């Protein structure tokens, strides 16, 4: 069957499934809307958390980043999984014990301060919105390929779907939909990976295939082969470290702390019945995440190898070694249409030269061969996963499946994020601070309106994104790491932190991180307003904007501690509350108030 | 629960968390980042060991760690009689 038709059918069927579930499990009370009535089984919650968590960045962008950065992209692999260790041990069980609806609600109660709650809402909105922007970019890429339309039109189409889906859902509907979306996305991710691993190494497990020898009988290990192919074209070796060690350390730490501090993830652990379930549910979430995250390195490396071999078909330097542009495969022309892949025949030989023209050591070889610069002038990293099955010439149904999987990943995360934003506006700001008198029904209405507004804002930024999807998301992590995680952790582990300390700490952490990011990325990501070029020579001690969250978190901890020690201790009932959170017994069923 | 007992429970909890986080730090930051060049001189299969920890091994360890922590905490809850139901 024609690929286009097949893609429409597969994606259409998956949409029908999600919408059916969303309508079936529609929320009617605020408890169902915010925390699914606290009745989700820990394994089911783990699966939903995994879908909520694994976004367009994980599904679409991450393997692409790995493909082009090699070892250096390990920060994303370790950062986005290691955070669950922190979450399971430092936050999830205690916050579940506390048993309310939102993250700012806990901060407001623990630090007995409406200001703290409002600051937490601001932190939450800034972090979640930044994160949603990354999703929007991913949705745009997936839809533009699937509908074969320009990126902007793809983004608008994606926004409309999210709009319908998220506004209808509520946590109850979202949870059950996310379980279905997890199944779709993990199937879509692993099936092509297994095929490609078999093709290249004869090993059906991508995790093992990556460490195996090539299937061509040469006896060369796949990773060594990749290092070799890249080296021949002037690129850095795949398995070698290219960035600074301090930056790698801080970026990984920022991603970990940020993962544990992201409200849309934390709130998932409010939906399980018991404290015990919150602990094991974090483990299950990590299992379901690890299936994709251990496959991704194989996908990245194999996609890169296939891409290089598609273009460099023979010996480097001989004219016949390069693919003739007119003979390019169908996937190449398809991606050219989206504008995410661009070729420019710089030396007019009708063949494609793809090499590292920024490497002075390779310049001589290139000149001798008559190459006038890298002719693949644009290879958007975000296309790698979606193009991967086509590059490997897999059957059409696999390609269609990948489109459905990418869209499932983006939709499930966007829904979770929008829910967190909407909850914080309707439950924390309106019901909690400004309009305590509104009825439950009105609160539900307000949260749906808030969601619609958030989609529009995110859509605008999606059209003017500050970077690749995964990198934009990395910024959101910095923000969650520098503001929310320290406040939550100190709220549980350090009894002496008071209202003034917590507020000052959050503002100092968030402020320093935001300034550092805007300094290099432009104020509010508006192009042309950056104070310094975003490259390693300008960064403070080589720390990239995405890695600054860990520093911001340290600032937050320090400021909160110093301010608290100079001001009065928290009142007795708050200290008692902290002691109560620390033991599981008596967590009870869903609490309303 | 008496406050002495509560303190003992909390201390035991903190010890467990510290132990788990030490492992968490070693497999990711130590093996995957700081010592990566040293470990890369060793190969397992086609993987350089440091590279393997950074892209595979740390993740497997995290999964085991969380389940280990959860089961130890459940035991601790029973021992100090603070479990649910």
């Amino acid at each position: 069957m024609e690929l286009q038709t097949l893609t429409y059918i597969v994606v259409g069927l998956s949409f029908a499934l999600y919408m059916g579930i969303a309508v079936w499990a529609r929320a009617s009370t605020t408890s169902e809307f915010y925390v699914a009535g606290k009745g989700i089984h820990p394994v089911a919650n783990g699966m939903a958390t995994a879908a909520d968590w694994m976004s367009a960045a994980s599904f679409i962008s991450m393997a692409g980043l790995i493909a082009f950065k090699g070892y250096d992209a390990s920060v994303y692999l370790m950062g986005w999984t290691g955070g669950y260790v922190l979450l399971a041990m430092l936050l999830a069980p205690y916050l579940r014990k506390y048993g309310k609806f939102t993250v700012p609600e806990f901060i407001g109660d623990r630090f007995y301060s409406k200001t703290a709650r409002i600051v937490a809402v601001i932190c939450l909105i800034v972090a979640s919105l930044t994160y949603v922007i990354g999703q929007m970019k991913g949705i745009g890429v997936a839809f533009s390929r699937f509908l074969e339309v320009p990126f902007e039109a793809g983004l608008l189409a994606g926004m409309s779907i999210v709009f319908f889906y998220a506004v209808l859902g509520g946590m109850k509907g979202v949870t059950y939909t996310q379980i279905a979306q997890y199944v779709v996305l993990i199937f879509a991710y692993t099936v092509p990976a297994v095929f490609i691993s078999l093709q290249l190494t004869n090993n059906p497990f991508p995790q093992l295939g990556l460490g195996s020898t090539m299937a061509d009988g040469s006896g060369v290990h796949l990773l060594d082969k990749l290092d070799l192919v890249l080296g021949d074209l002037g690129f850095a070796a795949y398995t070698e470290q290219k960035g600074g060690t301090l930056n790698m350390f801080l970026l990984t730490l920022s991603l970990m702390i940020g993962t544990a501090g992201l409200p849309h993830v934390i709130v998932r652990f409010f939906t399980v019945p018991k404290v015990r379930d919150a602990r094991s549910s974090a483990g299950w979430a990590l299992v379901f995440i690890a299936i994709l995250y251990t496959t991704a390195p194989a996908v990245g490396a194999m996609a890169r190898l296939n891409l290089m071999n598609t273009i460099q078909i023979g010996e480097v330097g001989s004219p016949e070694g390069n693919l003739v542009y007119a003979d390019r495969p169908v996937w190449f022309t398809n991606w050219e249409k989206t504008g995410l892949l661009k070729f420019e025949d710089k030396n007019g030989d009708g063949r494609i030269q793809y090499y590292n023209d920024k490497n002075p050591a390779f310049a001589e070889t290139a000149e001798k061969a008559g190459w006038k610069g890298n002719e693949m002038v644009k290879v958007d990293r975000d296309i790698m996963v979606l193009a991967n099955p086509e590059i490997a010439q897999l059957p059409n149904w696999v390609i269609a499946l990948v489109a459905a999987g990418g869209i499932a990943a983006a939709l499930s995360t966007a829904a979770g994020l929008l829910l967190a934003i909407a909850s914080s506006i309707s439950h924390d700001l309106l019901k909690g601070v400004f309009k305590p008198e509104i009825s439950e029904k009105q609160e539900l209405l307000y949260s749906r309106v808030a969601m619609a507004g958030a989609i529009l804002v995110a859509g605008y930024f999606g059209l003017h994104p500050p970077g690749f999807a995964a990198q934009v998301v990395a910024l959101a992590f910095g923000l969650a790491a520098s503001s929310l995680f320290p406040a939550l952790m100190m709220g549980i582990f350090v009894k002496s932190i008071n209202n003034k300390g917590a507020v000052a700490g959050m503002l100092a952490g968030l402020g320093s991180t935001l300034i550092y990011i805007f300094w290099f990325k432009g104020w509010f990501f508006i192009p042309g307003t950056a104070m310094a070029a975003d490259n390693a020579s300008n960064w403070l001690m080589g720390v990239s904007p995405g890695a600054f969250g860990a520093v911001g978190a340290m600032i937050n901890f320090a400021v909160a501690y110093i301010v608290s020690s100079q001001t009065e201790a928290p009142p007795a009932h708050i200290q008692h509350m902290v002691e109560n959170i620390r033991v599981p017994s008596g967590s009870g069923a869903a609490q309303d108030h | 629960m008496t406050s002495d007992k509560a303190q003992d429970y909390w201390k035991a909890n903190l010890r467990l968390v510290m132990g788990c986080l030490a492992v968490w730090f070693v497999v990711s930051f130590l093996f995957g980042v700081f010592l990566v060049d040293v470990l890369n001189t060793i190969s397992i299969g086609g993987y350089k060991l440091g590279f393997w920890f950074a892209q595979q091994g740390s993740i497997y360890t995290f999964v085991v760690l969380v389940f280990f922590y959860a089961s130890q905490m459940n035991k601790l809850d029973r021992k100090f009689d603070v479990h649910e139901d």
Side-chain angles (χ1 to χ4, degrees), chain A residues 30-373:
Chain A
T30 49
S31 175
E32 281 180 352
F33 192 88
Y34 292 130
V35 291
K38 298 193 196 260
I40 307 290
H41 188 274
V43 178
N45 185 56
M47 204 176 263
T49 309
D52 197 333
W53 171 243
M54 291 192 292
S55 55
S58 293
F59 191 97
I60 300 171
S61 300
M62 192 172 63
L65 271 174
I66 298 170
F68 288 95
K69 290 184 159 204
Y71 164 76
D72 283 23
S74 308
V75 292
Y76 300 106
L77 294 163
M78 291 187 285
W80 287 339
T81 52
Y84 277 83
V85 178
L86 299 178
L87 191 59
M89 295 177 192
L90 302 178
L91 302 183
Y94 308 105
L95 295 177
R96 171 59 193 89
K97 171 69 195 291
Y98 185 62
K100 292 286 177 65
F101 286 168
T102 68
V103 170
E105 194 174 9
F106 171 78
I107 291 179
D109 288 0
R110 163 61 183 87
F111 298 112
Y112 47 99
S113 147
K114 274 190 182 169
T115 317
R117 188 170 182 175
I118 293 170
V119 172
V121 171
I122 294 168
C123 294
L124 180 149
I125 290 176
V126 173
S128 301
L129 255 186
T130 321
Y131 201 120
V132 166
I133 296 166
Q135 301 313 305
M136 288 296 171
K137 168 84 193 293
I139 289 173
V141 172
F143 272 82
S144 65
R145 172 65 190 85
F146 148 57
L147 298 171
E148 298 198 354
V149 290
F151 174 76
E152 288 76 12
L155 182 71
L156 289 177
M159 272 172 64
S160 323
I161 299 282
V162 176
F163 183 84
F164 174 84
Y165 174 80
V167 173
L168 190 74
M171 188 56 123
K172 192 178 163 206
V174 165
T175 302
Y176 289 113
T177 317
Q178 281 170 337
I179 293 170
Q181 284 167 332
Y182 177 77
V183 175
V184 172
L185 82 86
I186 202 66
F187 196 59
Y189 202 84
T190 48
V191 165
V194 167
F195 271 118
I196 294 168
S197 182
L198 274 172
Q199 275 181 356
L200 289 176
T201 68
N202 285 333
N203 195 322
F205 298 101
Q207 290 87 344
L208 302 176
L210 183 59
S212 302
T213 49
M214 299 291 292
D216 56 14
S218 61
V220 181
H221 287 290
L222 186 135
L223 283 168
D224 296 336
K225 169 93 180 170
L226 184 53
D227 279 351
L228 204 70
V229 167
L230 290 175
D232 282 349
L233 289 164
F235 293 102
Y238 189 81
T239 55
E240 291 301 313
Q241 183 175 340
K242 288 150 284 257
T245 300
L246 176 69
N247 185 55
M248 263 198 93
F249 166 65
L250 286 177
L251 181 51
T252 309
L253 191 61
S254 294
L255 295 177
M256 285 184 182
I257 303 177
T259 300
L262 278 176
H264 76 284
V265 176
I266 296 175
V267 80
R268 291 236 53 106
F269 295 94
F270 294 13
T271 66
V272 293
K274 289 182 167 55
V275 174
R276 196 173 61 220
D277 299 331
R279 293 178 191 140
S280 68
S281 194
W284 285 112
L286 194 50
V287 167
F288 294 123
I289 292 164
I291 297 174
L292 188 144
Y293 272 59
T294 53
T295 306
V299 172
M302 292 172 186
R304 186 74 191 275
L305 189 59
N306 275 337
L307 176 69
M308 302 313 292
N309 286 340
T310 302
I311 294 167
Q312 189 71 45
I313 47 177
E315 198 187 326
V316 174
S318 80
E320 289 76 34
N322 294 82
L323 183 71
V324 175
Y325 180 66
D327 293 347
R328 66 195 186 283
V330 182
W331 63 264
F332 201 111
T333 29
N334 281 343
W335 282 103
E336 281 182 304
K337 275 184 224 155
T338 65
L340 297 171
L341 191 70
K342 270 191 200 126
F343 165 76
E344 197 186 311
D345 197 359
K346 288 180 181 167
N347 63 353
D349 67 349
R351 288 174 182 273
I352 308 171
Q353 280 96 40
Y354 180 33
Y355 69 103
N356 185 5
D357 56 5
K358 302 211 169 49
N359 181 357
F362 190 73
E364 201 188 330
T365 320
E367 207 185 311
K368 220 185 279 169
W371 295 358
K372 298 257 161 56

Side-chain angles (χ1 to χ4, degrees), chain A residues 359-401:
Chain A
N359 181 357
F362 190 73
E364 201 188 330
T365 320
E367 207 185 311
K368 220 185 279 169
W371 295 358
K372 298 257 161 56
N374 177 24
E375 297 182 344
M376 296 294 288
V377 287
K378 184 167 183 188
V379 186
D380 194 301
R381 289 183 280 205
D382 287 349
I383 72 174
M384 286 311 288
V385 166
L386 300 178
N388 199 22
E390 294 174 280
I391 299 176
Q393 299 170 333
L394 296 183
N396 278 351
W397 65 269
V398 178
I399 302 168
L401 190 62

Side-chain angles (χ1 to χ4, degrees), chain A residues 480-548:
Chain A
S482 64
S483 56
L484 295 170
F485 178 83
L488 291 169
M489 191 183 154
M490 288 186 292
I492 297 159
F493 285 83
V494 190
K495 259 193 266 181
S496 63
I497 301 296
N498 63 16
N499 50 356
K500 296 190 182 83
V503 172
M506 279 195 286
L507 288 178
L510 182 75
S512 58
T513 307
L514 265 185
I515 289 171
Y516 196 79
I517 290 169
F518 285 156
W519 194 268
F520 295 107
K521 301 269 175 191
W523 298 96
F524 302 96
F525 300 135
I526 295 164
T529 59
M531 309 297 284
D534 190 12
N535 59 49
S537 56
N538 289 331
W539 297 338
L540 201 64
M541 294 176 69
V543 175
S544 65
F548 196 79

